[in-house]
């Protein structure tokens, strides 16, 4: 529960919780190799050089070796300390520091240096800021457009709960993809995502489309938290009612004994069935697998997403 230096606790708000056993033995389909490639080391060096945080590291993503070996790092802006205390998340909780005014430029320079065709930019929740960090997102988008004009930009935002006008600021900066994750089914919001509101998040995604129909919208959930199959199918229907284009579904992995327990490991066959059902409900793009995360294979998925829309428009015309 403490950081690597033995300093502040990473999750002080979870210290009082009883331990939940961590399933150390994972099924074969969820295991990944440790990162060792030279390209991984080069990506890590660029991230460190520009004093950036990545959700790959902070959230202990199992795909970091594969993604960083391809130069694909998901930038996490506005610091590494979150104001929320979600029971599934490994990002540190506490009182964040001031925003770094140079961060948008540093992110843009790193994107250009990595030569990314597509970049994902996410953030911690910043409930302490009047606009929830909306203007910082917009500045980062504009900086990337300036430094790497050919790079397409995907953002994964907080919910901007009770931040009037914040969403409009971000949408006006015109990211290519606006992603906001529902994370789980409505019934589990209390124990899993207590700071969030399911229907507020749905309205947020719906509002993006109302403000700018050309922006792709995206959302995702984790499974293995205790949800039922019918509940997952209902989330699909809810997202389609908000005209969301792209849905991701991945296996929840428990970061520590203080985090929400894993209910079960969902099989690859079940993920395939979820993918089939989601496509049947009208999503342009679906990524459903044990290792799927919001930004996993995001560059290739964006190309397929854009091609699917072009095909849809051609058929309609």
């Amino acid at each position: 529960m403490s950081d690597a230096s033995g300093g502040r606790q990473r999750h002080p708000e979870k210290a009082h919780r009883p331990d939940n056993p961590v399933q150390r033995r994972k099924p074969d389909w969820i295991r990944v190799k440790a990162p060792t490639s030279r390209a991984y080391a080069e990506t890590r060096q660029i991230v460190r050089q520009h004093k950036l945080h990545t959700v790959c590291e902070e959230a202990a993503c199992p795909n970091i070796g594969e993604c960083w070996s391809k130069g694909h790092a998901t930038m996490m802006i506005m610091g590494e300390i979150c104001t929320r205390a979600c029971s599934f998340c490994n990002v540190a909780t506490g009182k964040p520091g001031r925003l770094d005014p140079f961060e948008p430029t540093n992110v843009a320079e790193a994107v250009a240096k990595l030569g990314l065709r597509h970049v994902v930019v996410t953030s911690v929740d910043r409930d302490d800021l009047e606009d929830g960090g909306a203007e910082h997102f917009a500045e980062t988008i504009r900086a990337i457009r300036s430094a790497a004009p050919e790079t397409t930009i995907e953002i994964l935002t907080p919910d901007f709960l009770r931040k009037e006008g914040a969403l409009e600021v971000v949408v006006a900066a015109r990211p290519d993809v606006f992603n906001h994750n529902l994370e789980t089914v409505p019934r589990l919001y209390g124990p899993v995502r207590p700071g969030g509101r399911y229907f507020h998040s749905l309205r947020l995604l719906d509002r993006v489309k109302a403000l700018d129909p050309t922006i792709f919208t995206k959302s995702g959930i984790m499974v293995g938290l205790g949800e039922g199959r019918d509940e997952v199918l209902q989330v699909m229907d809810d997202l389609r009612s908000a005209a969301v284009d792209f849905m991701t579904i991945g296996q929840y992995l428990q970061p520590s004994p203080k985090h929400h327990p894993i209910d079960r490991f969902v099989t690859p066959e079940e993920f395939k069935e979820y993918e089939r059902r989601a496509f049947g409900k009208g999503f342009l793009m679906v990524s459903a697998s044990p290792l799927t995360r919001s930004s996993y294979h995001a560059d290739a998925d964006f190309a397929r997403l854009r091609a699917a829309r072009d095909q849809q428009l051609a058929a309609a015309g």
Side-chain angles (χ1 to χ4, degrees), residues 84-111:
R84 299 278 177 95
C86 298
S87 68
F88 68 87
C89 186
N90 196 49
V91 174
T93 303
K95 184 177 179 181
R98 293 182 179 179
L99 294 181
D100 177 1
F102 301 106
E103 186 173 54
T105 300
N106 286 335
V107 168
E109 289 177 354
V111 168

Side-chain angles (χ1 to χ4, degrees), residues 58-281:
E58 299 298 335
C61 180
N63 303 316
I64 187 170
E66 179 186 347
C67 293
W68 281 31
S69 293
K70 298 175 181 176
H72 299 163
T74 298
M75 309 300 177
M76 191 172 81
I77 60 175
M78 297 190 277
E80 79 281 22
I81 300 175
C82 187
T83 55
R84 299 278 177 95
C86 298
S87 68
F88 68 87
C89 186
N90 196 49
V91 174
T93 303
K95 184 177 179 181
R98 293 182 179 179
L99 294 181
D100 177 1
F102 301 106
E103 186 173 54
T105 300
N106 286 335
V107 168
E109 289 177 354
V111 168
K113 192 170 290 187
L114 288 165
L116 299 181
R117 294 176 302 174
H118 184 80
V119 65
V120 182
V121 179
T122 188
S123 78
V124 291
D125 275 284
R126 290 298 301 259
D127 297 313
D128 58 310
L129 300 175
E130 187 175 349
D131 69 347
E135 181 57 35
H136 203 73
F137 260 107
E139 289 175 4
T140 303
I141 293 167
R142 290 191 290 265
I144 295 170
R145 292 272 186 244
S146 177
E150 300 301 315
T151 302
T152 50
I153 302 171
E154 178 174 331
I155 58 169
L156 172 55
T157 77
D159 58 15
F160 300 120
L161 188 63
R162 293 183 285 274
K163 305 296 182 183
E164 192 69 32
L167 179 64
E168 287 76 3
V169 169
V170 179
V171 171
R174 305 205 67 223
D176 296 282
V177 181
F178 190 108
N179 185 1
H180 172 65
N181 285 334
L182 293 182
E183 305 293 8
T184 188
V185 302
R187 179 176 58 83
L188 294 177
Y189 258 54
V192 173
R193 196 183 176 211
R197 302 291 181 269
Y198 180 82
F199 289 105
H200 168 80
S201 288
L202 270 180
R203 286 193 297 271
L204 184 87
L205 290 160
D206 187 60
R207 178 70 177 148
V208 173
K209 280 294 188 187
L211 290 168
D212 189 341
T214 68
I215 295 176
F216 289 103
T217 50
K218 179 177 176 180
S219 188
I221 62 169
M222 301 166 289
V223 289
L225 287 158
E227 71 294 324
R229 176 179 174 275
D230 288 344
E231 290 178 300
V232 174
L233 297 180
Q234 183 61 56
V235 170
M236 292 180 189
D237 289 337
D238 291 343
L239 288 173
R240 287 303 301 137
S241 72
V244 170
D245 301 300
F246 186 172
M247 183 179 187
T248 61
I249 308 173
Q251 172 70 51
Y252 166 63
L253 297 175
Q254 184 182 352
S256 83
K258 297 297 184 182
H259 287 78
H260 192 89
I262 294 178
D263 177 67
R264 69 189 185 96
F265 289 105
V266 178
T267 66
E269 292 74 23
E270 290 175 277
F271 278 107
K272 280 291 183 186
E273 177 60 14
Y274 279 143
E275 180 183 272
R276 186 187 70 79
R277 294 297 297 268
F279 273 122
K281 291 176 182 294

